[in-house]
Amino acid sequence: MPISRAIIAYGRQANMQIILADPVRQSITGNAVQGSMDSQTALEKLLAGTGLEVISTHDRLIVIGLRKTAAASGVKTASARRLGRDATVSENVNVTGKRDNTSTKRYASQIVDTLSAAQMRTVPDLSVVEAARRIVGISVMPSTDDNRSDNNIENITIRGLDNSYNLITIDGAQLASANNTYRGARLDLIPSSMLGELQVLKTVDAYNDPQGIGGQVNMVTKSAFDYGNSFDTQLLGGWNNLAGSVVQPMHENWRVDGALTRVFGKNKEFGFVLSGNYQELHSASHAILPGDTTGDGWNYYSTSGTSVGSPTNTDAQAAKGNAVPVRSQDYAFDDAYRRYSLTGKFQYRPSSCFDLSVFGGYFHTLDQETRNEALSMPSGTWTQGATPDTGSVTTGQYQFGITQQPETQRTWFVNGKIHYDINDRMHLNFLASDSIAWDDSYRTMIKYNTGMNENTNKTTYQSAYGYNYSINNGAPVIALNDLSAANDANNYNPRYWRFYGFHVKNDVRFLRGDWRWDVAHGFWLNAGVTQTMTHVDNSETYTQWIPKDAITAAEIGNMNEVLASKVLTLESAPGLKFPIFNYQEALNKLLNNKSLFKTTNTTSTTKPAYYHLQESITAAYFQTGWHNRYVSLQGGFRWDHTRADIGNFNGVTNSGVTDYQFETRGAGYDYLLPSVLASFNVSPTMKLRAAFTETVGRPNYGDYGAATSTTFDGATVNISQGNPNLKPRHSWNYDLSYEWYPQKDTLVTVGIFYKDIHDEIYTRTSYGNVVMDGSTYAAVVSEPLNASGAGMRGVEMQFMRQRFGFLPGILKNFGISFNATFLQGFYEETMDDGSQRRVHGLSNQPSHIYNASLFYADKHLEARVAYNRIGKSLYSTSGTASWQDMWLQERGQLDLQVSYRFYKWLSATGQVQNLTGEGYETRMGPRENLIQDRHPAGRSVWFGLRFQPDF
């Protein structure tokens, strides 16, 4: 950093008063000094080569000025005088890398954006993933499982590219992820209290693992040498305004987190950090899902009016037909989400030449969710109403159900780091880590249905459950032909009791060694090797119980016998009651009467779902560069060798009998990946950056493993399967940015980038038919494929002024930040008929992202208003018809935080998250005019205290 600022930072750490006697050019920078040493040596290293020296010393006052020649002044240089040996300033001082909010970005060789620990404390966010959305170019996503509520933000996208493309690391080591959907770990597991800084790398050079087409997230844990002896903890309680609106009564939310840091030893060479976090979050929501999870809830009918179920529809049919809701569905969720973590870090720094650290953490989440379901499905003849948005169907069926779906995620992480300076110019670094993640999810589903034929376990469509409908702003509203029959619980007979179990285990072990040589005159070399070993086990259990026949079904009883007293109101069918099951009573129907039930063969679901994957990544890299005060250039390459061995069960059908045989196969690829980065100091406060890099995106584990999952609701078979022939995506990345730092904690940046992506991986949904148990059903098949081409271009802009010190009165205590991102992506999709079409957007890539914050801070009061807005993004595409593509709609969120400091060690905090209560909405259709999913999100309010006692 500029020497004038570096001297001030030194004075604070050494507890000395510094006076700068002569004006100093802003272009003069101080030397990077790190380690534990006496204050004399620290200051000598800081000033070496800057043209400055110590003029005089007295007790804890040091005067620094421009160096005079010994002959002219008769004064000894600082190195000869050793800071004045008569001064009593020989105690040790820990020189650390603690920086202000812009330092990491300003002095990094790559394009990077950050959030400091202080910034994360001043925003009303629950976890690292929520705080990350304040960074330019970052957007966040709720759960992508449509069977679950959207109340929890789980993942981030970097420049419109989601976790499938990016790497999540802690102190440079990969965090394991027990997730079939994304290779990157879920950031909602990580509490912000353990972090010193959150870094988002947007250009990935040869030093980094190339898994980062969007970028990489590195979480830098707190260092005891940065914070000294400190303790910081907060306790908050609050509520969500939707909690208690479904079945469960209102429950309060709780949050407590804290971090303790200690520095000890004779020479303060030891450091220790301990942090912990606990959160209990209760929420409820009433959602509609007329499009179903796979988009088959809408159909286009021609004027002939003949029902064809859920057929394959072409765009031509959609253009001339009428949209008809064929799966009007309400979901009502009660959710209790608990997460806790405990992390610790031990550090040893006996000298400036050697330091060692060991970090370990355990992260645990439990999501206990209950889902109540109401679903209408029509058949028969369709007749158009008075307008294109109205009509009727002659017959139908109705069903009610309950699902208990608890999910537990556990993650262990440990890493060790060693740094050693061979001499002043040669340095060695070693890193080893091990991370294990488990995901255990269970789903118990109980359903009752109208028109059951218990001898065949099939439903019949009856005229009482046909309906008239109207479509209001894309949402269907139905009126059943016989409302009294639909409201009679005795007309609903037992359909099934299903028990699913989903289990994923992921173990990632990582080793790396690095050597750096600062040659001379600004030249340097860097080389290293890494080894990553990944083991993934995925399995699924599934058991289905159904009544043996009509006689036993009558003994089991109808729905009236398992209902609770609570009744909800249906959004999709006004006037029809939404009865709620007594879950234990419904479950006991099976547990206490198993002789009345029979099980079905679920082998076709469980066997193909299992896979074991072992992935080995061996890499070596080399970098070299040169820099002076105006220019910094670096270039390098990375050789990346990946080998994957996969074992799973494949079904072989012979004479109508399917035998599942365990098979193993291998896949592998090599890449030689170049990177070139340059930065130019246009002036002491202005910088230009340019970069060219190549990165890869390895397939997600579930895509690799070719796991197959089959679910059947009695009408439609949903098949999700992997693709063993997938190739990794890879991208040529071009970046250019301008940065201006006119004052401390002030920045203005503008950046543009383009990504030329090859072998883009996307999930295609197609529609057809499948034979199950001798009967033919409509089928929806989803599988990952490689696109023939893809690309992404974008613009990022940001402005931040921490404090308007030039304004009068209290106005000088205000600050502002704003950033905007504009994104355009595309990829080429192959349709079912072999044709190609261009999809304008990558999966989960928003069209734009805005962040704006206004904040105020004085000695006692801090306040912030923060607004985040995300443009619409592609949710999934269809290989059958473009109108079946799904788009997550634009959404904004307004958050507030106020804190007041009563004493140095005590302050009170109040927060409001999502003040306007804006929810999530996904649409489909030729003009995105049909709702696929509408999910409300509640408003959360928090109050609490923060303690920061002195040691």
Side-chain angles (χ1 to χ4, degrees), residues 676-704:
V676 179
L677 294 87
S679 63
F680 308 91
N681 294 321
V682 180
S683 74
T685 60
M686 292 187 186
K687 178 173 288 189
L688 287 176
R689 298 183 188 270
F692 164 73
T693 60
E694 184 180 7
T695 51
V696 300
R698 303 180 181 97
N700 293 316
Y701 303 127
D703 298 341
Y704 248 160

Side-chain angles (χ1 to χ4, degrees), residues 494-514:
R495 180 165 181 174
Y496 59 69
W497 278 249
R498 291 178 181 170
F499 302 88
Y500 291 92
F502 308 92
H503 309 280
V504 185
K505 179 186 177 184
N506 182 11
D507 186 353
V508 179
R509 293 175 178 170
F510 179 70
L511 292 171
R512 79 173 300 148
D514 302 288

Side-chain angles (χ1 to χ4, degrees), residues 716-794:
T716 304
V717 179
N718 295 289
I719 302 172
S720 175
Q721 62 189 29
N723 182 352
N725 300 313
L726 277 180
K727 295 180 288 186
R729 53 173 77 82
H730 67 98
S731 174
W732 300 96
N733 311 299
Y734 307 86
D735 290 85
L736 182 66
S737 72
Y738 163 80
E739 301 170 9
W740 181 32
Y741 303 89
Q743 295 183 22
K744 179 183 177 181
D745 288 343
T746 301
L747 67 85
V748 178
T749 68
V750 178
I752 60 175
F753 62 89
Y754 177 72
K755 298 178 181 293
D756 184 11
I757 304 173
H758 302 270
D759 297 321
E760 159 65 6
I761 298 173
Y762 69 98
T763 300
R764 186 182 71 180
T765 302
S766 57
Y767 299 81
N769 296 296
V770 68
V771 176
M772 178 177 287
D773 297 331
S775 301
T776 300
Y777 299 95
V780 182
V781 182
S782 300
E783 65 176 337
L785 297 171
N786 284 113
S788 59
M792 164 73 72
R793 63 174 64 92

